Amino acid sequence: MKYSVKRKSHFLVILFMTILSVTVNGQKIETQFNGFGHLEFIADYSDATNAAFAIGEHDFFVNSKLSKRISFLGEYVIRFNGKSATSFLPSIERSLLKFNYYKNHNLIVGKIHTPVNYWNDSYHHGRLFFPTIDRPLAFSYIIPLHTLGLQIQGQNLGKWNFGYDLVVGNGINSTDGINTGIDFSYTAAFHIKPFENFRLGMSHFYEKTKSHNPGTHSGHSTVYPHYEGETYTGPMTLNLTSASLSYFGNRLELLNEASYNRTFTDSLGAANNWSNFSYLGYRVTDNSIPYMVADFINIAENDLYVHPFDLLKLCLGYRHEFNHLLSLKTQVEYLTSLHQHEDHSHVQRFSFRVQFAYGF
Amino acid sequence: MKIRSLLFISLLTLLSQSTIAQNGDMNNLVIIGNNIGTVSLKKTTLINVLKGRLDSWNNNVTVKIVLPSQKNESAALTAKVFYGTTVKGMQKFWLSLVFQGRANPPIFLDTDEEIIIFVQKNPGSIGVIHEGVDYPKSLKINIIN
């Protein structure tokens, strides 16, 4: 029986590979595969000193044109997870069908990165494209990273290259397969690119949930790293307004991501949270970019979404781009929480980090 | 107040310097196209097309971009004239744009002959080749400054 199952699985794997190779060969020009990954060295200095080498996310990307008007995009990530038997877990980060129905207007269905800001809409899981080693702090707490649903998108419209993204999808309580109730999330995002390499955008994300039980779509879907108390599971209204300004010129690089998050619960009322990430880099030579980062997040005392918290991160870094497929980043960081909160671990540490990011 | 003004002016200067990117000599390049709904394009429109900002032409045919690959001698000039950067910079631009999901990938071909054949066979395609290469004149797209 075991033998038969094994043979069957081998047969299926061979069949799948054959179909895949035939399909790829048949559409050689229309299908593009890429891989992205990163390796890191991290040394933390706080109460204790820790240092380690780490394998980062490994990202498999496919873009395929299925017909004249329809294309498919998929992004599949394998990342370290200590709870997994193999220490790694796979995930589908993006999987979408895009229908170009009229000129620069598209209808998209599938799992996307919620287009609330420049970073989430541009860099996804490709560390090669990140200007720094990490995402902004807000991405671990208040940014709803993913949405599984329907998106209407327009881009590069008119003289100012106006773009819009309107999204309705599963709420943050849902997973990729199950949504309890009918709590949908709604996102409206707009941007302009009035001159080369510059983009200015704003967005609003709204959701009203009957219960608070974050699933795989939310920004803080794993654990609350800072919070040691009891988690709130009651009804909640979430509003997130974001503004992004980016300029990546031949020399100067600027990125600012600001977010204002207002949560409302019957028990503690409205809580006002906010975050701001600022990046400034300058391309000294074609390959060398020193940079600095100031990143801050503040969660209000009466917030039941993320729970009271604040964190400030200051970085000095250097990025060396060997070519368009390989970069080395080094970063010295200072991370601190300015205030003490109930059920909140106080943070203060220096870190030194090195990251190789690559694509192929 | 003076410091603020100085900072603002410095920032604008830096931005404007970086923005003046597309400055190579276009005379050494020829634009060819097949069924793109026009026989002439403004230079600004052409740059927008080659930067993946147009999904379909006015005749509703899907845009297909064909560019010289790194092996092609026109690659460096194409990158400089239309992307204001190096060949690596142009490749990174496309890798990033496709990864964002905001454009379909262009086709990179090694020789001008391959580019011409591709454009001939594919309606909606637009390509860049080097001046002096033989090509069917019906494919030529005139560029208006």
Side-chain angles (χ1 to χ4, degrees):
Chain A
M1 186 64 184
K2 263 186 182 175
Y3 179 70
S4 158
V5 169
K6 206 172 177 183
R7 273 188 68 180
K8 244 185 206 172
S9 66
H10 281 175
F11 175 72
L12 283 173
V13 167
I14 290 165
L15 185 69
F16 175 71
M17 295 295 280
T18 311
I19 290 169
L20 189 68
S21 64
V22 168
T23 310
V24 172
N25 286 334
Q27 298 183 356
K28 199 175 175 185
I29 293 168
E30 305 287 344
T31 302
Q32 179 173 322
F33 294 95
N34 290 103
F36 300 94
H38 68 283
L39 299 168
E40 278 190 29
F41 173 78
I42 305 158
D44 287 337
Y45 305 92
S46 52
D47 296 338
T49 302
N50 299 298
F53 292 94
I55 294 181
E57 288 183 345
H58 278 66
D59 182 352
F60 301 98
F61 175 77
V62 57
N63 181 297
S64 187
K65 199 138 193 235
L66 306 180
S67 76
K68 277 185 182 175
R69 297 268 171 204
I70 300 173
S71 59
F72 170 80
L73 185 151
E75 191 183 8
Y76 313 99
V77 168
I78 297 172
R79 64 165 65 81
F80 174 77
N81 185 300
K83 290 174 186 170
S84 156
T86 59
S87 298
F88 289 92
L89 279 179
S91 66
I92 298 178
E93 298 296 334
R94 284 187 289 167
S95 187
L96 59 99
L97 285 168
K98 180 170 160 183
F99 171 47
N100 175 226
Y101 64 92
Y102 178 70
K103 293 197 171 178
N104 282 12
H105 303 268
N106 300 294
L107 183 67
I108 294 167
V109 60
K111 185 172 180 179
I112 59 167
H113 276 132
T114 319
V116 288
N117 56 29
Y118 179 83
W119 193 294
N120 209 35
D121 197 31
S122 302
Y123 300 141
H124 308 283
H125 292 261
R127 294 299 191 286
L128 182 67
F129 304 110
F130 286 20
T132 62
I133 285 182
D134 262 344
R135 296 184 175 94
L137 290 170
F139 278 54
S140 300
Y141 302 97
I142 59 173
I143 303 295
L145 298 181
H146 297 107
T147 302
L148 174 56
L150 193 68
Q151 177 181 12
I152 301 170
Q153 179 190 76
Q155 55 179 353
N156 300 309
L157 306 170
K159 198 178 165 186
W160 283 22
N161 289 305
F162 174 76
Y164 66 86
D165 294 278
L166 304 171
V167 185
V168 56
N170 287 355
I172 61 162
N173 289 337
S174 68
T175 67
D176 290 337
I178 300 163
N179 188 21
T180 310
I182 48 166
D183 296 332
F184 287 115
S185 68
Y186 303 90
T187 306
F190 306 95
H191 67 259
I192 50 167
K193 293 184 280 185
F195 57 91
E196 284 296 326
N197 308 316
F198 177 82
R199 177 173 139 160
L200 182 67
M202 279 203 78
S203 74
H204 190 82
F205 173 92
Y206 169 82
E207 183 176 353
K208 191 171 185 175
T209 64
K210 290 188 183 67
S211 63
H212 179 58
N213 184 22
T216 55
H217 289 292
S218 85
H220 54 280
S221 57
T222 48
V223 287
Y224 307 108
H226 64 288
Y227 184 67
E228 294 151 6
E230 196 177 325
T231 307
Y232 173 78
T233 55
M236 184 178 288
T237 305
L238 293 168
N239 282 282
L240 177 77
T241 304
S242 302
S244 300
L245 183 151
S246 68
Y247 178 79
F248 286 85
N250 287 354
R251 292 283 174 220
L252 185 69
E253 299 186 347
L254 280 172
L255 177 61
N256 200 83
E257 301 279 21
S259 291
Y260 165 64
N261 169 224
R262 186 176 188 270
T263 63
F264 183 86
T265 56
D266 289 338
S267 37
L268 292 183
N272 299 303
N273 311 319
W274 64 277
S275 71
N276 194 76
F277 169 91
S278 300
Y279 162 87
L280 174 66
Y282 191 79
R283 196 173 285 271
V284 181
T285 67
D286 282 351
N287 302 331
S288 304
I289 305 105
Y291 61 83
M292 59 175 87
V293 173
D295 194 2
F296 184 69
I297 183 166
N298 185 69
I299 307 295
E301 288 295 333
N302 60 336
D303 181 79
L304 293 173
Y305 176 46
V306 176
H307 298 280
F309 173 60
D310 71 81
L311 207 56
L312 168 70
K313 184 160 112 175
L314 300 171
C315 305
L316 281 177
Y318 169 75
R319 189 169 83 247
H320 186 87
E321 296 176 348
F322 292 92
N323 57 34
H324 67 293
L325 299 175
L326 178 65
S327 73
L328 168 71
K329 292 168 219 165
T330 56
Q331 215 165 273
V332 179
E333 301 177 1
Y334 174 61
L335 194 72
T336 185
S337 46
L338 302 176
H339 306 104
Q340 289 282 358
H341 300 287
E342 196 181 348
D343 297 320
H344 173 198
S345 313
H346 186 66
V347 178
Q348 185 161 27
R349 76 168 182 258
F350 283 96
S351 299
F352 173 67
R353 300 176 69 177
V354 181
Q355 182 187 77
F356 272 107
Y358 41 85
F360 47 87
Chain B
M1 191 65 187
K2 270 186 179 177
I3 292 172
R4 271 190 196 173
S5 304
L6 189 68
L7 280 172
F8 185 67
I9 290 163
S10 306
L11 183 67
L12 280 178
T13 311
L14 278 168
L15 286 173
S16 62
Q17 276 180 351
S18 307
T19 307
I20 304 166
Q22 288 83 27
N23 56 1
D25 184 5
M26 211 185 133
N27 294 332
N28 293 324
L29 297 172
V30 174
I31 305 301
I32 54 172
N34 176 3
N35 192 20
I36 66 169
T38 180
V39 290
S40 60
L41 287 172
K42 280 185 186 171
K43 191 179 174 186
T44 49
T45 309
L46 175 67
I47 288 170
N48 281 334
V49 170
L50 294 179
K51 286 195 165 183
R53 292 177 189 151
L54 196 71
D55 290 333
S56 56
W57 301 104
N58 281 338
N59 60 4
N60 219 21
V61 177
T62 306
V63 174
K64 279 186 183 178
I65 300 163
V66 200
L67 295 170
S69 76
Q70 202 166 6
K71 290 178 186 169
N72 190 312
E73 61 177 24
S74 306
L77 189 57
T78 302
K80 190 179 174 190
V81 171
F82 300 115
Y83 298 86
T85 183
T86 59
V87 177
K88 284 174 194 166
M90 178 173 74
Q91 286 171 321
K92 187 171 184 183
F93 170 86
W94 274 108
L95 190 67
S96 169
L97 197 65
V98 172
F99 188 63
Q100 287 171 34
R102 294 209 170 254
N104 287 312
I107 291 127
F108 287 97
L109 295 174
D110 291 347
T111 65
D112 286 348
E113 288 70 28
E114 287 176 293
I115 293 175
I116 294 162
I117 291 167
F118 184 91
V119 170
Q120 277 181 309
K121 286 184 179 174
N122 291 277
S125 58
I126 183 163
V128 183
I129 57 171
H130 209 263
E131 176 66 53
V133 175
D134 282 336
Y135 64 94
K137 298 301 175 217
S138 58
L139 297 179
K140 185 175 167 71
I141 305 298
N142 297 306
I143 304 306
I144 306 159
N145 278 316

